[in-house]
Amino acid sequence: MMTKKTISASRASLILFLCQMITALEVPLDLSQPPTITQQSPKDYIVDPRENIVIQCEAKGKPPPSFSWTRNGTHFDIDKDARVTVKPNSGTLVINIMNGGKAEAYEGVYQCTARNERGAAISNNIVIRPSRSPLWTKEKVEPKHVREGDPLVLHCSPPVGLPPPIIFWMDNSFQRLPQNERVSQGLNGDLYFSNVKPEDTREDYICYARFNHTQTIQQKQPISVKVFSTKPLTERRPTLLTPVGSTSNKVELRGNVLLLECIAEGLPTPVIRWIKEGGELPINRTFFENFKKTLKIIEVSEADSGKYKCVARNPLGSTHHTITVTVKAAPYWITAPRNLVLSPGEDGTLICRANGNPKPNISWLTNGVPIAIAPEDPSRKVDGDTIIFSDVQERSSAVYQCNASNEYGYLLANAFVNVLAEPPRILTPANKLYQIIANNPALLDCAFFGSPVPEIEWFKGVKGSILHGDLYVFHDNGTLEIPVAQKDSTGTYTCVARNKLGKVQNEVHLEVKDPTMIIKQPEYKIIQKGGQVSFECTIKHDRTLMPTITWLKDNGELPVDERFIIHKDSLAIMNVTDKDDGTYTCVANTTLDSVSASAVLTVVDRPDPPFDLELTDQLERSIQLSWIPGYDNNSPITNFVIEYEDGMREPGVWHYQTEVHGTQTTVQLKLSPYVNYSFRVIAVNEIGRSQPSEASEQYLTKAAKPDENPSGVQGIGSEPDNLVIIWEPLKGFQSNGPGLQYKVSWRQKDVGDEWTSVIVANVSKYIVSGTPTFVPYEIKVQALNDLGYAPEPAEVIGHSGEDLPMVAPGNVQVHIVNSTLAKVHWDPVPLKTVRGHLQGYRIYYWKVQSLSKRRRRHVEKKILTFSGNKTHGMLPGLEPYSSYKLNVRVVNGKGEGPASPDKLFKTPEGVPSSPSFLKISNPTLDSLTLEWGPPTHPNGVLIAYTLKFQPINSTHELGPLIEIRIPANETSLILSNLNYSTRYKFYFYAQTSVGSGSQITEEAVTIMDEGKLAMASRQVDIATQGWFIGLMCAVALLILILLIVCFIRRNKGGKYPVKEKEDAHADPEIQPMKEDDGTFGEYSDAEDHKPLKKGSRTPSDRTVKKEDSDDSLVDYGEGVNGQFNEDGSFIGQYSGKKEKEPAEGNESSEAPSPVNAMNSFV
């Protein structure tokens, strides 16, 4: 929530100046003027008889006026009464009463006259009356004996005081007697009972009268009331105790408070309703008091006259009373006469207009004398409520009094006519500075005086033109108003006053400031008790103003508490408590304006615990619990949790009973017999759970037979010759009474035996011995206590103890599915031989030996269990070409039966694993040596090895694939007739009669020919000769031209990493052959020995792209240490450009040397 308020100093000035506009022009006190009464005592002046009487009369004038008094219409000679003095330079009377005087001696009507050479002003008639607080007359107060239900009025009848006393009723302990719709005090002070009750009996009904002027309280004798009961009470319809009759009249004066009262009696107590016949009760001025028995209308006017009806109603009927209200009016001003300042020869008027009911009479006085008998003045003419002046002269100066009166009062006003000839003067101080906030009205004062009345003009700036137009408002008192001042309104303003006697001017200055604004307002916060919260308040203000920020709580000062920390732009509250809940307001004040913004802080917490728990409707199996919720701490209660305590079995332990919605405060609870209940309630809201309420009173339910039997009844045997019967015992109050026991019954199923029963207590198990092995039994367990048995329990089937199975499965057969999977069949055993619950069959199997290695290994038996009455199962994960044994056993709850005879079976051959290693060594110009190890798992009889290899040229393209079949007993091979300085890729795998196994891959490089290296060196030497340089320059130029043409025509190409090529050509067996030469596509470095994928990366135009630069022999590392492993395998990497070249089948795999490259260009 945010409220914003801007207060401007000029706004207050506006109100002041507008008031000046409607008053007469003030005459400076240094100029001659008739007297003006400035202060006087009220017309009806009630004084304290114990203090001095002060009757005020102050006046101003030039020359200073003298004062005189009249008392009761005759001159009051002050000098003749030693107790009466006049204050110096004043007309105020002081009557000394405190030194033995009596105020009653000075009662009367006083009037003050202030007089100087230019006229005389008179005060109102001031009626002086001393206040009175008389004692109660002594009377004998009889006790009141009233029948219950009857009405009663206790009269107060206070003594008549001045002013009337305030009445109230109290007891001997000075405690106010409680009042309500049934018992209330009337406007006359009497105490009314619509009907009495026995609790109204007391002996100290005392009426007190408080006299405020004398600050005394008078007390009436106590009244005793005794109420006696008679049954039955007779109900009756309402009748009015006050006012009496059906109609009455009421006269009230305009502007006063109208009070109408109706008090009714009846049984039941009536209620009062007010209506205005033919109209509505005035909105915003109507109030109901004294439990709607009093109608109060404030500031009544003639429009409030009419008939007002009060209606008293109870269930037996109603009654009413009509009050006719007439609003009269003492005189009130329509136009009061105002002082008139004229210059000689001018004309003017004094107007005195008043209204009232009845219409007041208007009379004029001059200098305190009725105008009819006052000296004549040819310049004036009286016309009813107006005096017209024409061609006045200085002798026309006087004070005129207008008196408007009717039967309800009078008005008296003084207004002088002052004839002066004065040049203009400006009363506003020179160079006065006005500061206002932008967009507010600016009011520049130019208080003036002159006679004749000067004309006022305003200018802005030193050489500004006269101000006029809609941007300005010119008031009659000289004030210049700028309704909406802006920053450009800042400047100097000149006020010029002129009349026929002269001219005068004055400068004032206006500064328009930027408004103070709150740009970051505090925001609504919800915080849990104990947390901390911060409200921000960032302001923007005019740089010339110094703001102060004040924080308020609920429009009052912040609590004096160190938890409240005020920073420059924020308020922090630490360790918030529930008392911090409220509205926080940030107020930014400057000397010119004030802005504020508010936010609400809501402190939430877990609810307070419920209280006043009450148990009602107490039955054997149910009870009603009700409670009063605690305060929700600003977070609505969502539900109530009801818990109970069994004081008999588990005192101090509380259990969950039920829960209800947060709007409920009662619940019907189901109870169990023979429980000593106590209940408590916990309130829950979003913050958490309240503390538990205080426990309710205890309630012990009667004992009864058990309602239920134990659950979870089972019959199982722990030994082959017993039956163990177990059950879940009843808990706590499930017993329903004392002496809880269990009747355990059993008999063998389907043999016609009688039930065998035992009664046990405090146990949940019973063992029956000497039973046959694994036979079914019918079982039941029944609860009982001292009051009887529970209902007949349900029967369950159990079995006596199990024993190990007696026979093994027969006719075990093995069917080989493949080299790693076999299916086993067997015949089921007879169920009688199982001697227990059949759980399934279990196969034990183990590998005897591998047929390929012909050696025994450690026997590791494996087990597979097949649940239920199955007769077959699969054995996965077998090793190919191996010998296995297995047997089968039946399983029950006791264990395994005997094993079937071992069954021998063999798995067929499979494909071998990859060779254990492939090692390439001894590289020469045209040969490489290969060595390998047999597969770790041959999975059969090896019949051969297969070696495939192919060259890789300088652009990483794969050459023709060559295949060699090697006998199974070989472990090495020397490959001859290879190309020198050439990389080869090898693929190697073993075979059985079933097929080929996984392959292993390696790469190696033959070495470079030293003779060709020497030739290349000599060619380089020739190339460095002078005769050859010119030729090479021409060739280089030609090459450059050709390259430019090639690049222009090519327009595409790119870099391809070696890994991408290797992934595309891992398996030469599935590498597609080129149609013309049978060569393979691009080379792939299959580091993980994966086979080549289908599909060639060779472009459709049968060309292969080169890498970005041609690989030289140096790139493969020939002659450089460390680029071959010990076994001669290559460990380098490949990269370079691709160029379009024909891929021909008989193309040499020799990598071009630098010299060959140059020769090719020649």
Side-chain angles (χ1 to χ4, degrees):
M1 180 183 69
M2 193 276 291
T3 59
K4 195 167 184 179
K5 177 179 63 177
T6 302
I7 302 172
S8 173
S10 56
R11 175 65 67 187
S13 301
L14 175 62
I15 298 172
L16 174 63
F17 285 129
L18 293 181
C19 290
Q20 292 177 348
M21 287 168 53
I22 62 174
T23 59
L25 196 64
E26 290 289 328
V27 180
L29 283 177
D30 61 337
L31 298 178
S32 295
Q33 57 185 289
T36 300
I37 301 291
T38 58
Q39 192 173 4
Q40 58 183 317
S41 293
K43 294 178 182 179
D44 191 7
Y45 189 15
I46 299 175
V47 298
D48 189 336
R50 299 167 300 180
E51 297 180 354
N52 291 339
I53 301 174
V54 178
I55 310 175
Q56 292 183 327
C57 182
E58 304 289 343
K60 66 178 181 178
K62 180 69 182 230
S66 60
F67 297 91
S68 63
W69 285 87
T70 63
R71 178 185 176 190
N72 297 327
T74 60
H75 177 67
F76 183 34
D77 193 346
I78 299 171
D79 296 333
K80 291 183 178 181
D81 192 333
R83 294 187 179 278
V84 181
T85 58
V86 180
K87 289 185 177 180
N89 302 317
S90 167
T92 298
L93 296 182
V94 178
I95 303 174
N96 189 348
I97 300 298
M98 301 180 66
N99 293 325
K102 292 185 177 181
E104 291 82 359
Y106 293 92
E107 285 190 62
V109 180
Y110 293 78
Q111 189 174 43
C112 169
T113 301
R115 187 186 308 275
N116 67 9
E117 62 187 30
R118 287 194 166 241
I122 61 176
S123 72
N124 291 323
N125 288 328
I126 302 170
V127 179
I128 301 296
R129 294 185 296 169
S131 66
R132 296 180 178 86
S133 53
L135 297 176
W136 247 291
T137 57
K138 290 186 178 181
E139 61 178 326
K140 184 177 181 181
V141 179
E142 297 291 337
K144 303 286 186 180
H145 296 271
V146 192
R147 182 175 56 187
E148 181 181 0
D150 284 356
L152 174 65
V153 179
L154 299 182
H155 297 285
C156 180
S157 303
V160 178
L162 186 65
I166 298 173
I167 306 301
F168 50 93
W169 289 79
M170 294 197 299
D171 58 17
N172 276 330
S173 301
F174 296 100
Q175 299 297 315
R176 284 186 179 269
L177 296 176
Q179 298 188 27
N180 48 46
E181 290 183 345
R182 186 178 62 85
V183 182
S184 60
Q185 177 183 316
L187 294 176
N188 62 357
D190 293 346
L191 190 62
Y192 293 87
F193 295 76
S194 294
N195 50 78
V196 295
K197 293 183 177 182
E199 55 262 32
D200 296 327
T201 298
R202 62 189 310 150
E203 297 180 353
D204 54 353
Y205 286 94
I206 305 174
C207 181
Y208 289 85
R210 183 175 66 217
F211 299 90
N212 284 341
H213 263 71
T214 58
Q215 298 180 349
T216 58
I217 295 178
Q218 304 290 353
Q219 137 180 4
K220 187 174 183 175
Q221 291 291 325
I223 302 174
S224 174
V225 174
K226 293 183 179 179
V227 179
F228 58 91
S229 298
T230 59
K231 298 296 182 179
L233 294 178
T234 302
E235 294 185 344
R236 63 187 180 279
R237 60 184 299 163
T239 58
L240 288 174
L241 296 175
T242 184
V244 296
S246 59
T247 61
S248 61
N249 298 300
K250 172 80 172 180
V251 176
E252 191 56 78
L253 291 182
R254 179 180 184 271
N256 287 354
V257 176
L258 173 65
L259 294 174
L260 303 178
E261 179 182 60
C262 276
I263 300 177
E265 63 90 7
L267 187 67
T269 302
V271 294
I272 305 295
R273 184 170 62 93
W274 290 90
I275 57 175
K276 182 181 181 182
E277 294 183 359
E280 298 290 334
L281 294 174
I283 301 174
N284 299 327
R285 294 189 293 116
T286 300
F287 303 91
F288 297 100
E289 297 179 345
N290 197 20
F291 310 99
K292 293 190 175 181
K293 299 174 186 179
T294 301
L295 171 65
K296 176 180 177 181
I297 301 177
I298 62 174
E299 298 176 1
V300 295
S301 65
E302 289 85 343
D304 295 321
S305 296
K307 293 184 178 182
Y308 293 81
K309 179 187 290 186
C310 68
V311 180
R313 184 183 303 275
N314 73 2
L316 277 71
S318 65
T319 188
H320 68 272
H321 182 91
T322 301
I323 306 174
T324 301
V325 174
T326 303
V327 178
K328 298 292 186 178
Y332 56 91
W333 289 119
I334 296 176
T335 303
R338 292 183 290 175
N339 293 338
L340 189 60
V341 178
L342 301 173
S343 64
E346 283 191 320
D347 302 334
T349 57
L350 286 179
I351 300 174
C352 175
R353 290 178 184 160
N355 201 357
N357 186 11
K359 188 172 181 61
N361 178 50
I362 303 295
S363 61
W364 287 97
L365 297 86
T366 178
N367 296 326
V369 177
I371 200 166
I373 61 175
E376 291 189 6
D377 183 349
S379 65
R380 73 171 180 242
K381 177 183 176 183
V382 178
D383 184 9
D385 59 5
T386 303
I387 301 179
I388 303 171
F389 297 92
S390 57
D391 190 22
V392 296
Q393 301 301 320
E394 186 174 352
R395 65 178 180 275
S396 301
S397 297
V399 181
Y400 291 84
Q401 289 83 32
C402 173
N403 186 298
S405 60
N406 66 12
E407 61 186 282
Y408 297 107
Y410 75 93
L411 293 173
L412 177 69
N414 292 277
F416 64 66
V417 175
N418 196 14
V419 181
L420 294 172
E422 286 291 327
R425 64 169 71 181
I426 293 179
L427 306 178
T428 300
N431 296 311
K432 185 175 181 180
L433 176 63
Y434 294 88
Q435 294 180 323
I436 59 101
I437 297 297
N439 299 316
N440 282 293
L443 295 161
L444 308 183
D445 185 14
C446 184
F448 64 90
F449 182 79
S451 185
V453 176
E455 294 181 356
I456 303 298
E457 294 176 331
W458 281 92
F459 301 85
K460 183 180 180 183
V462 178
K463 298 181 180 180
S465 59
I466 186 171
L467 299 180
H468 57 80
D470 297 336
L471 297 179
Y472 305 95
V473 177
F474 303 94
H475 294 290
D476 292 343
N477 65 350
T479 297
L480 170 66
E481 179 182 355
I482 306 174
V484 183
Q486 303 294 335
K487 294 286 285 186
D488 58 5
S489 302
T490 299
T492 299
Y493 291 80
T494 303
C495 166
V496 178
R498 60 165 58 89
N499 67 9
K500 64 184 180 180
L501 300 178
K503 182 183 77 170
V504 68
Q505 69 180 38
N506 186 35
E507 289 184 350
V508 295
H509 308 283
L510 174 64
E511 292 181 357
V512 181
K513 307 290 186 180
D514 289 324
T516 305
M517 295 184 294
I518 298 178
I519 57 177
K520 181 68 175 178
Q521 300 174 355
E523 297 178 346
Y524 174 70
K525 297 289 180 70
I526 298 177
I527 193 69
Q528 188 172 350
K529 183 179 178 181
Q532 64 182 55
V533 67
S534 177
F535 292 107
E536 292 187 73
C537 184
T538 305
I539 67 169
K540 179 182 178 183
H541 60 90
D542 192 284
R543 59 185 180 85
T544 63
L545 300 177
M546 296 300 296
T548 59
I549 295 180
T550 305
W551 286 93
L552 305 176
K553 180 180 184 295
D554 298 328
N555 294 323
E557 294 184 357
L558 285 180
V560 180
D561 194 328
E562 59 184 9
R563 298 182 301 107
F564 290 78
I565 303 172
I566 299 177
H567 301 289
K568 178 183 177 183
D569 296 328
S570 64
L571 167 67
I573 308 175
M574 317 301 291
N575 192 22
V576 171
T577 69
D578 50 6
K579 293 182 179 179
D580 299 330
D581 196 276
T583 300
Y584 289 82
T585 304
C586 164
V587 182
N589 288 302
T590 67
T591 55
L592 299 181
D593 65 347
S594 175
V595 292
S596 64
S598 299
V600 174
L601 172 63
T602 300
V603 180
V604 297
D605 197 8
R606 298 181 301 171
D608 292 343
F611 57 94
D612 282 356
L613 272 65
E614 183 180 6
L615 298 176
T616 56
D617 298 341
Q618 299 172 354
L619 303 175
E620 290 186 1
R621 294 296 182 100
S622 69
I623 197 168
Q624 180 171 288
L625 172 67
S626 59
W627 62 90
I628 298 176
Y631 180 50
D632 63 6
N633 287 311
N634 295 319
S635 180
I637 296 173
T638 57
N639 57 294
F640 292 100
V641 177
I642 293 90
E643 296 180 338
Y644 71 90
E645 173 198 34
D646 183 358
M648 184 185 304
R649 299 173 182 84
E650 294 179 295
V653 179
W654 291 89
H655 303 277
Y656 174 86
Q657 171 91 6
T658 187
E659 60 184 88
V660 296
H661 192 269
T663 58
Q664 287 186 234
T665 57
T666 61
V667 63
Q668 197 75 21
L669 301 175
K670 293 182 179 180
L671 306 180
S672 294
Y674 199 56
V675 179
N676 193 13
Y677 281 102
S678 291
F679 299 98
R680 69 182 187 184
V681 183
I682 299 170
V684 182
N685 64 9
E686 289 186 358
I687 310 303
R689 295 163 63 101
S690 72
Q691 291 293 320
S693 68
E694 294 290 332
S696 71
E697 59 181 305
Q698 291 186 333
Y699 179 63
L700 178 62
T701 54
K702 294 180 180 180
K705 296 183 293 184
D707 293 325
E708 53 189 309
N709 288 302
S711 60
V713 178
Q714 297 182 52
I716 54 175
S718 60
E719 297 295 337
D721 60 349
N722 73 7
L723 171 66
V724 180
I725 302 173
I726 60 175
W727 62 90
E728 286 289 332
L730 299 183
K731 295 181 179 179
F733 54 75
Q734 290 178 312
S735 65
N736 284 6
L740 177 64
Q741 299 179 85
Y742 302 99
K743 179 182 179 182
V744 184
S745 305
W746 68 93
R747 68 180 176 183
Q748 191 171 338
K749 191 173 184 294
D750 299 331
V751 296
D753 288 350
E754 294 294 328
W755 288 96
T756 303
S757 301
V758 296
I759 293 179
V760 296
N762 301 320
V763 295
S764 60
K765 178 174 69 173
Y766 183 77
I767 300 175
V768 180
S769 302
T771 63
T773 300
F774 195 68
V775 295
Y777 278 86
E778 294 176 320
I779 303 167
K780 58 184 180 180
V781 180
Q782 185 178 25
L784 67 151
N785 62 18
D786 291 350
L787 282 82
Y789 286 86
E792 185 66 22
E795 299 173 6
V796 298
I797 303 299
H799 287 81
S800 57
E802 298 180 74
D803 205 347
L804 293 176
M806 299 172 63
V807 298
N811 194 23
V812 177
Q813 300 293 328
V814 179
H815 171 66
I816 303 300
V817 178
N818 56 39
S819 61
T820 61
L821 180 64
K823 186 174 184 180
V824 182
H825 292 265
W826 62 88
D827 291 339
V829 300
L831 289 179
K832 290 186 178 181
T833 65
V834 176
R835 299 200 295 179
H837 296 286
L838 175 63
Q839 294 186 355
Y841 291 87
R842 191 169 291 161
I843 299 177
Y844 286 78
Y845 66 100
W846 60 95
K847 182 179 176 181
V848 178
Q849 67 177 19
S850 173
L851 297 179
S852 60
K853 297 182 180 179
R854 299 297 180 184
R855 63 181 178 85
R856 293 188 176 274
R857 52 175 287 175
H858 172 68
V859 176
E860 180 182 351
K861 289 189 176 182
K862 297 181 180 179
I863 303 172
L864 282 177
T865 300
F866 301 91
S867 300
N869 196 19
K870 288 192 175 181
T871 58
H872 61 85
M874 304 297 288
L875 298 183
L878 302 177
E879 294 185 12
Y881 204 52
S882 300
S883 177
Y884 281 88
K885 285 185 177 181
L886 63 78
N887 59 51
V888 185
R889 311 177 192 197
V890 67
V891 183
N892 67 9
K894 189 72 172 179
E896 298 176 350
S900 67
D902 291 347
K903 184 72 173 181
L904 178 65
F905 66 95
K906 297 179 181 179
T907 56
E909 288 187 80
V911 296
S913 63
S914 62
S916 57
F917 67 88
L918 174 62
K919 181 178 179 182
I920 305 174
S921 59
N922 301 326
T924 65
L925 289 174
D926 61 352
S927 68
L928 292 169
T929 301
L930 279 68
E931 298 176 295
W932 61 86
T936 305
H937 301 287
N939 294 337
V941 178
L942 296 181
I943 59 175
Y945 292 101
T946 298
L947 173 66
K948 296 180 182 181
F949 64 95
Q950 60 189 141
I952 306 170
N953 66 13
S954 60
T955 62
H956 307 298
E957 293 174 342
L958 299 173
L961 186 66
I962 301 171
E963 180 176 328
I964 300 174
R965 190 174 176 84
I966 304 170
N969 58 352
E970 296 292 337
T971 59
S972 64
L973 176 68
I974 297 176
L975 282 179
S976 302
N977 298 322
L978 304 176
N979 295 327
Y980 68 89
S981 187
T982 300
R983 171 177 293 279
Y984 288 90
K985 185 163 186 176
F986 298 90
Y987 312 91
F988 191 68
Y989 53 89
Q991 292 175 293
T992 65
S993 60
V994 177
S996 301
S998 302
Q999 69 180 13
I1000 185 171
T1001 63
E1002 283 292 347
E1003 294 182 11
V1005 181
T1006 56
I1007 65 175
M1008 181 179 285
D1009 188 352
E1010 294 180 358
K1012 288 187 176 292
L1013 283 175
M1015 182 183 298
S1017 177
R1018 286 196 299 273
Q1019 289 173 345
V1020 173
D1021 291 340
I1022 294 172
T1024 59
Q1025 299 302 313
W1027 62 267
F1028 194 63
I1029 294 176
L1031 179 61
M1032 290 299 101
C1033 290
V1035 172
L1037 180 60
L1038 179 61
I1039 292 172
L1040 180 60
I1041 293 172
L1042 291 173
L1043 288 174
I1044 292 173
V1045 173
C1046 290
F1047 276 106
I1048 292 174
R1049 297 184 61 185
R1050 196 167 91 174
N1051 287 332
K1052 62 181 178 178
K1055 295 183 180 180
Y1056 297 85
V1058 174
K1059 182 65 179 175
E1060 182 181 351
K1061 296 178 182 180
E1062 292 174 347
D1063 289 344
H1065 306 288
D1067 189 352
E1069 289 186 331
I1070 60 175
Q1071 177 79 20
M1073 304 296 289
K1074 293 186 179 179
E1075 295 177 1
D1076 53 353
D1077 59 357
T1079 60
F1080 283 78
E1082 294 177 345
Y1083 162 72
S1084 171
D1085 181 16
E1087 295 177 353
D1088 55 356
H1089 310 304
K1090 293 180 180 178
L1092 290 174
K1093 297 179 181 178
K1094 291 183 179 180
S1096 172
R1097 292 182 182 261
T1098 306
S1100 60
D1101 59 358
R1102 302 171 124 191
T1103 61
V1104 182
K1105 294 181 181 179
K1106 285 188 176 184
E1107 295 292 337
D1108 287 345
S1109 62
D1110 290 333
D1111 288 347
S1112 67
L1113 292 177
V1114 178
D1115 292 343
Y1116 287 105
E1118 183 175 341
V1120 180
N1121 293 332
Q1123 291 192 337
F1124 287 84
N1125 289 329
E1126 292 181 0
D1127 59 359
S1129 60
F1130 184 74
I1131 60 172
Q1133 295 179 351
Y1134 314 103
S1135 66
K1137 294 181 180 177
K1138 287 185 178 181
E1139 294 180 1
K1140 291 184 178 180
E1141 294 181 357
E1144 307 208 0
N1146 58 359
E1147 177 182 275
S1148 171
S1149 62
E1150 179 178 345
S1153 70
V1155 176
N1156 292 336
M1158 286 188 289
N1159 288 338
S1160 67
F1161 289 127
V1162 179

